[in-house]
Amino acid sequence: MHEDSSSTDEPQSPLGILQLLRNVQRRLALHDEDHSPRVSLYIEAAIRNCLMTQHHNHRTLKPPTTYQPSRQASSTSSTSSSSTNSFNKSIGPPRSNTLDRPKTSRNNNARPIHTRSKSQAATRPRTAHGLYEEERHEPPSKTQTFDVDGRVGDMENQFKELKDMVNNTLSERKGHVDALELAKGRVTELERERDRLESRNERLRTEVDGAKDDLRHLHHELERQKWESNRQIEDLNRQHRETVEDLSRQHRSAVDDLSKELDYLKDQESKEHQQRIEGLTRHYQQELDDERQKKEREIKDLRLRLGNEHDDMNSAMQRKDREMQEMRSAMEGLRSDLERERALKSSLQTNIAELSASNTTLEAKINSLRSQVEFLESDSKAQSDSFANMEARLQDAMRIAEEARQKLIKEETERRVLFNKYQELKGNIRVMCRVRPILHQSEGEQAGMSFPDEKTSAEIVLAGPEEKSSLGHITRKNYPFEFDRVFVPGTQNEEVFGEISQLVQSALDGYNVCIFCYGQTGSGKTHTMSSSDGMIPKATHMIYDTITKLREKSWEYSMEGSFVEVYNEELNDLLTPNDHHHKSKKLEIRHDDARKQTTILNCKTVPLDSASSVETMLQEAQKNRSVAATKANERSSRSHSIFILKLIGENYATGERCEGTLNLVDLAGSERLKHSQAEGDRKRETQNINKSLSCLGDVIEALGKGSGHIPYRNSKLTHLLQYSLGGNSKTLMFVMVSPLETHLKETLTSLRFATKVHNTHIGTAKATKKIKASDY
Ligand SMILES: Nc1ncnc2c1ncn2[C@@H]1O[C@H](COP(=O)(O)OP(=O)(O)OP(=O)(O)O)[C@@H](O)[C@H]1O
């Protein structure tokens, strides 16, 4: 500051200014780091200008050798003014530099700006000699050198110019002084600014130091905090680990406890469950036992009741049988009485004849003796009394014989009623099973069959096919079946017919009877039906015998037979040869609903008036059937044959009339129900057999259910047998069974079908006969 005040006291010569500027520059260089570049530039420009001015002054103020020394002073004074002037000219106002600089924040420190016009800037200053620099170097012309007035004028001009210049310089100097003052103010201001900045800088430094200390402190603190935090984190981690371990230990133990508890609960639960199950089992077992006992009691009761009923029925039957027996024996007695009476009558008649002969002889004798009467008057009256007595006895015997005959007829009617009632009680559809014997050893192994119920002969037990258990044990299941009668393999047709003879009798009594044989091929259907001692011949023989016997009871029967077959759902007449020579007409089924009778249009009907005519008819049918059969296939196996016997009876004594039909049906082999691998014609046959057999099953089922609609029309067979199956008829099915193990499956199927039929109850049959009400 001391320097500053001293420098301000110095004359404002360019050198002084230069010095001042250099001082300022130095000081700035020392203190003001921040502002030194700008201020330095300014100062450097000022210094440069000063130097240039100094240099210029130095050059321009050098007095020419030709000049007067008197002028030295003025020159000197003018030198100073011109030097100021030229300084001003050469550097211009000190602030002019700032104008060239780009606008900065400094613009805020707006100060008066000394500008020069372009013309000023363009105009170059003249030298002290009033010449331009260029002119000064030009050599003066000879004329000028020797023209004193001119030169004085020039000098005066120059002097004027110089004077002007000095004035200008003075005014410029004043301007410079002002500028300097301004610069000084500025410098002071800058110094103040610098001081302020320095103090600020100091403060900032202190602050920075403080901040650095703070920072260090903070850093240290941070490090400490970090270390502390790390330690805490580690502690926490350790604690966490420990906690986690503790928790996991606790968790494990809790899980163990829970699983133990769970096991315990499970045990408890399962025990409770088991107990509950056992309790329930006990309870249900108890209930079941109770129920079973109840049911057993009920069954026992029912059995008892049934047994009682059975016993009652048996006793009733026995009573009836006894009655019948008694009746029979009575009839036999009566018959023997009658015979006796007849014998008596004949003996009496012979006696009478003899007596009449003897009478004649006696009359002759009488006549001869009359003469003697007169002679012997007393003896003749006794002879005549004895004759009258004998005649009365003859009349009595004849009356008794007539009474016996009447009783016999009445009893026959009663027998029929009782017999048919008995049949009805047995059921209108009956099933009997017949097992044929093994014909040859070569036929194969015998199936496991037993007939446990020897007494009633109504049961058959079949050992089923072998079944292998998971453990490899081979077992056979037993299949028991029960029917109305089971015929063991050795049974003869005679015995079989004994069972069906009552049905044949029913046909004679005016019922529609249908007996059919069902079973697989080769099971004995044809043998049972059509062999020489089969059901058809036996039935016709029986009918003949019965008809003959019934004639005695005033019954007169007519009998006619037809024989048809159903093949491929077509009806063929077996009594008409059907070859290229004879073409039979198409058979048509006609039903008479009122009479419950069926007729077949265009079908040959043979009147059977003798037993031999039946045999002829059967042979004829067999012949016609064989013609239809091919070599490979037995026609009997693939068609259903139906022997139809119509019986019309009339009792001349009682006025009764009855019309019954006996149908004896030999069905096609039933095994085709399943084993169908046929093609073409065989396939058609098979389909038709299947259809008709299943329709037969459907009809029986529908009859058993009491359905409103019975599907008779679904097949030719059932359509034909409409009035011989169900309501007004009696049906017997023979299920024929093969004894062979190889046929076991088919046997089982046949027996199951038969069981289904056996379980069917078909409504009560009615005879078509008309009996006078007075007879009952
Ligand atoms: N009860 C029996 N006693 C003796 N032989 C029998 C008996 N049953 C059947 N046969 C014989 O077994 C063979 C086959 O019997 P049958 O022809 O009657 O069988 P099927 O069931 O009518 O066969 P298909 O359906 O082919 O007509 C015949 O040779 C027959 O004589």
Side-chain angles (χ1 to χ4, degrees):
M1 288 303 279
H2 177 73
E3 264 182 309
D4 286 344
S5 59
S6 64
S7 63
T8 48
D9 294 340
E10 283 173 18
Q12 295 304 313
S13 67
L15 197 64
I17 291 166
L18 188 67
Q19 221 166 5
L20 188 69
L21 286 170
R22 276 197 175 136
N23 279 342
V24 170
Q25 193 183 32
R26 211 169 32 249
R27 251 182 262 161
L28 276 175
L30 276 172
H31 301 294
D32 197 359
E33 289 169 359
D34 209 14
H35 292 95
S36 61
R38 288 195 308 273
V39 178
S40 301
L41 272 173
Y42 184 79
I43 293 166
E44 267 170 26
I47 291 168
R48 209 164 40 245
N49 282 339
C50 278
L51 284 172
M52 278 170 72
T53 310
Q54 200 183 12
H55 175 71
H56 182 75
N57 287 346
H58 185 70
R59 276 200 307 171
T60 48
L61 294 177
K62 202 173 170 182
T65 49
T66 53
Y67 284 178
Q68 297 290 323
S70 59
R71 293 198 179 180
Q72 191 86 30
S74 67
S75 298
T76 311
S77 66
S78 75
T79 305
S80 85
S81 71
S82 78
S83 81
T84 310
N85 191 26
S86 65
F87 172 76
N88 280 346
K89 271 190 180 174
S90 53
I91 63 164
R95 308 299 291 173
S96 65
N97 268 346
T98 52
L99 288 172
D100 300 333
R101 279 183 284 159
K103 259 189 185 175
T104 61
S105 54
R106 282 209 165 214
N107 287 344
N108 295 335
N109 306 324
R111 281 168 301 195
I113 298 164
H114 302 274
T115 53
R116 277 198 308 175
S117 65
K118 261 186 174 179
S119 59
Q120 273 181 315
T123 314
R124 279 184 301 162
R126 287 172 182 260
T127 61
H129 302 286
L131 292 173
Y132 291 108
E133 199 74 15
E134 295 83 358
E135 290 167 349
R136 199 168 49 91
H137 297 292
E138 283 173 12
S141 64
K142 265 183 183 176
T143 346
Q144 282 175 334
T145 314
F146 297 109
D147 186 3
V148 178
D149 290 338
R151 285 189 66 184
V152 170
D154 285 346
M155 280 179 73
E156 279 175 0
N157 286 338
Q158 278 181 355
F159 182 73
K160 270 183 195 164
E161 274 180 18
L162 190 65
K163 201 176 163 188
D164 290 344
M165 202 156 62
V166 167
N167 288 337
N168 283 341
T169 305
L170 280 173
S171 63
E172 275 177 9
R173 184 177 172 266
K174 198 169 177 290
H176 281 307
V177 169
D178 290 344
L180 189 64
E181 282 306 315
L182 217 61
K184 269 183 187 168
R186 177 70 189 146
V187 166
T188 317
E189 194 186 311
L190 283 170
E191 275 175 352
R192 262 204 310 277
E193 181 68 20
R194 186 200 66 201
D195 291 345
R196 196 180 59 75
L197 285 170
E198 270 177 355
S199 64
R200 189 174 157 220
N201 195 19
E202 200 61 38
R203 207 169 55 248
L204 284 170
R205 224 177 250 144
T206 329
E207 275 175 18
V208 165
D209 289 345
K212 272 180 184 167
D213 281 352
D214 285 352
L215 192 67
R216 255 197 313 280
H217 184 68
L218 279 170
H219 187 70
H220 181 70
E221 188 64 23
L222 193 71
E223 284 297 316
R224 200 180 60 75
Q225 291 276 354
K226 213 161 133 186
W227 182 82
E228 193 71 27
S229 298
N230 281 340
R231 199 176 54 76
Q232 278 178 2
I233 286 166
E234 276 173 14
D235 284 355
L236 281 171
N237 274 342
R238 202 171 46 254
Q239 277 174 12
H240 180 69
R241 258 200 314 279
E242 282 167 10
T243 315
V244 166
E245 279 168 10
D246 282 356
L247 281 173
S248 65
R249 253 196 314 280
Q250 281 171 12
H251 180 70
R252 265 200 302 276
S253 66
V255 166
D256 287 349
D257 289 352
L258 279 172
S259 62
K260 269 181 209 152
E261 205 174 325
L262 194 71
D263 288 346
Y264 174 74
L265 283 172
K266 258 190 207 163
D267 281 355
Q268 285 291 105
E269 192 65 28
S270 61
K271 266 180 205 156
E272 276 176 22
H273 192 64
Q274 195 62 34
Q275 279 168 1
R276 260 208 310 276
I277 286 171
E278 278 168 8
L280 282 170
T281 315
R282 266 200 305 281
H283 175 71
Y284 284 122
Q285 192 63 40
Q286 187 63 39
E287 274 189 6
L288 209 68
D289 287 349
D290 290 352
E291 192 65 26
R292 195 184 293 140
Q293 278 169 5
K294 207 171 126 195
K295 290 286 169 203
E296 273 171 2
R297 271 200 304 278
E298 279 176 20
I299 288 167
K300 220 184 246 172
D301 286 354
L302 279 171
R303 275 213 183 115
L304 209 66
R305 223 178 310 148
L306 203 73
N308 288 341
E309 278 175 12
H310 199 258
D311 287 350
D312 288 353
M313 218 167 80
N314 274 347
S315 56
M317 292 285 294
Q318 278 168 2
R319 213 167 43 245
K320 292 284 172 199
D321 277 350
R322 263 201 310 279
E323 279 174 22
M324 274 178 71
Q325 214 60 41
E326 281 167 10
M327 273 183 206
R328 271 204 192 111
S329 55
M331 267 171 64
E332 287 303 317
L334 283 170
R335 214 177 258 153
S336 58
D337 280 358
L338 193 72
E339 290 301 317
R340 211 169 47 246
E341 290 301 323
R342 271 194 192 135
L344 190 68
K345 187 185 158 193
S346 58
S347 70
L348 281 173
Q349 273 171 345
T350 41
N351 275 351
I352 288 168
E354 281 169 7
L355 282 172
S356 56
S358 66
N359 195 23
T360 321
T361 35
L362 278 172
E363 269 178 5
K365 252 185 184 178
I366 286 166
N367 285 332
S368 67
L369 286 173
R370 220 169 242 163
S371 54
Q372 287 181 17
V373 166
E374 286 161 11
F375 181 71
L376 299 167
E377 273 181 4
S378 56
D379 284 348
S380 67
K381 204 172 180 281
Q383 289 285 335
S384 152
D385 287 346
S386 152
F387 178 72
N389 191 23
M390 279 174 77
E391 210 170 51
R393 281 177 66 190
L394 182 67
Q395 286 301 322
D396 275 354
M398 283 175 74
R399 188 182 46 79
I400 288 166
E402 184 56 29
E403 275 175 13
R405 202 169 75 87
Q406 287 303 324
K407 203 175 168 189
L408 207 65
I409 291 166
K410 201 177 166 191
E411 276 170 0
E412 172 63 22
T413 312
E414 276 179 9
R415 185 202 62 76
R416 284 187 182 206
V417 172
L418 284 169
F419 171 71
N420 286 306
K421 274 196 177 151
Y422 171 67
Q423 288 288 313
E424 281 161 22
L425 279 170
K426 275 187 164 184
N428 286 326
I429 185 149
R430 298 170 66 197
V431 179
M432 293 183 187
C433 170
R434 186 177 190 187
V435 185
R436 78 155 169 88
I438 292 180
L439 304 174
H440 314 284
Q441 286 296 93
S442 58
E443 271 200 310
E445 206 184 317
Q446 184 167 4
M449 278 181 193
S450 59
F451 307 92
D453 188 7
E454 278 180 19
K455 209 173 159 192
T456 57
S457 307
E459 219 180 322
I460 175 171
V461 180
L462 201 66
E466 285 184 352
E467 282 170 19
K468 206 170 183 179
S469 72
S470 53
L471 294 170
H473 297 308
I474 294 172
T475 52
R476 294 185 83 152
K477 208 171 159 187
N478 277 343
Y479 295 93
F481 295 96
E482 205 178 314
F483 301 109
D484 291 295
R485 179 75 204 260
V486 175
F487 298 106
V488 295
T491 314
Q492 296 300 307
N493 277 347
E494 180 82 47
E495 198 181 332
V496 176
F497 184 74
E499 277 292 329
I500 69 155
S501 60
Q502 291 160 342
L503 283 171
V504 178
Q505 181 63 54
S506 288
L508 278 167
D509 293 342
Y511 287 86
N512 285 337
V513 175
C514 185
I515 299 170
F516 58 88
C517 282
Y518 176 93
Q520 71 175 112
T521 297
S523 56
K525 299 185 294 290
T526 313
H527 176 82
T528 304
M529 280 297 180
S530 313
S531 61
S532 56
D533 62 344
M535 301 305 115
I536 296 174
K538 279 209 172 290
T540 46
H541 277 106
M542 179 192 157
I543 288 165
Y544 280 118
D545 286 350
T546 315
I547 288 171
T548 316
K549 281 182 190 166
L550 285 173
R551 276 201 195 114
E552 288 175 10
K553 294 167 191 170
S554 309
W555 280 99
E556 199 58 54
Y557 275 90
S558 69
M559 190 164 68
E560 54 183 39
S562 40
F563 211 155
V564 293
E565 71 164 5
V566 179
Y567 175 69
N568 272 341
E569 282 303 277
E570 268 183 27
L571 209 56
N572 299 322
D573 186 359
L574 287 178
L575 300 181
T576 309
N578 191 15
D579 50 32
H580 48 276
H581 300 298
H582 310 81
K583 274 272 164 224
S584 63
K585 285 185 187 168
K586 197 174 185 321
L587 304 188
E588 284 175 37
I589 300 166
R590 292 279 186 273
H591 290 306
D592 181 346
D593 202 41
R595 283 166 54 228
K596 303 284 179 214
Q597 289 298 318
T598 304
T599 44
I600 305 168
L601 286 187
N602 306 319
C603 182
K604 188 173 172 185
T605 306
V606 180
L608 301 169
D609 40 23
S610 67
S612 59
S613 60
V614 176
E615 269 153 36
T616 316
M617 189 189 81
L618 286 178
Q619 281 166 11
E620 175 77 17
Q622 188 53 41
K623 199 174 80 193
N624 289 333
R625 212 175 186 192
S626 305
V627 171
T630 61
K631 271 185 187 172
N633 308 308
E634 268 296 325
R635 182 70 169 250
S636 68
S637 309
R638 295 174 288 120
S639 65
H640 314 298
S641 70
I642 305 122
F643 173 69
I644 305 162
L645 201 62
K646 290 227 158 154
L647 298 158
I648 302 159
E650 259 180 293
N651 191 317
Y652 295 108
T654 60
E656 289 174 85
R657 189 179 188 279
C658 63
E659 202 175 332
T661 310
L662 176 66
N663 296 285
L664 298 165
V665 187
D666 183 356
L667 292 171
S670 63
E671 76 287 351
R672 296 180 193 289
L673 281 166
K674 283 188 176 173
H675 301 163
S676 172
Q677 286 137 7
E679 282 185 5
D681 287 349
R682 297 286 283 172
K683 191 174 180 182
R684 211 170 123 232
E685 279 173 9
T686 307
Q687 283 169 346
N688 286 317
I689 293 166
N690 281 341
K691 186 186 163 194
S692 53
L693 288 178
S694 73
C695 283
L696 182 65
D698 293 345
V699 164
I700 291 169
E701 196 180 338
L703 286 167
K705 282 181 185 165
S707 309
H709 170 72
I710 313 293
Y712 290 115
R713 281 181 177 267
N714 283 359
S715 80
K716 269 274 177 333
L717 180 71
T718 48
H719 189 207
L720 178 67
L721 299 175
Q722 180 163 337
Y723 293 126
S724 299
L725 290 169
N728 194 31
S729 64
K730 295 183 178 194
T731 310
L732 171 73
M733 185 178 101
F734 276 114
V735 54
M736 313 304 296
V737 162
S738 159
L740 301 172
E741 176 74 29
T742 45
H743 295 149
L744 188 64
K745 256 185 148 181
E746 277 303 332
T747 303
L748 266 173
T749 313
S750 297
L751 290 174
R752 280 179 185 140
F753 178 77
T755 303
K756 205 172 143 192
V757 174
H758 187 230
N759 292 337
T760 309
H761 178 80
I762 298 180
T764 311
K766 283 194 184 86
T768 55
K769 66 178 179 179
K770 293 183 184 89
I771 301 168
K772 284 180 190 166
S774 58
D775 288 348
Y776 284 95

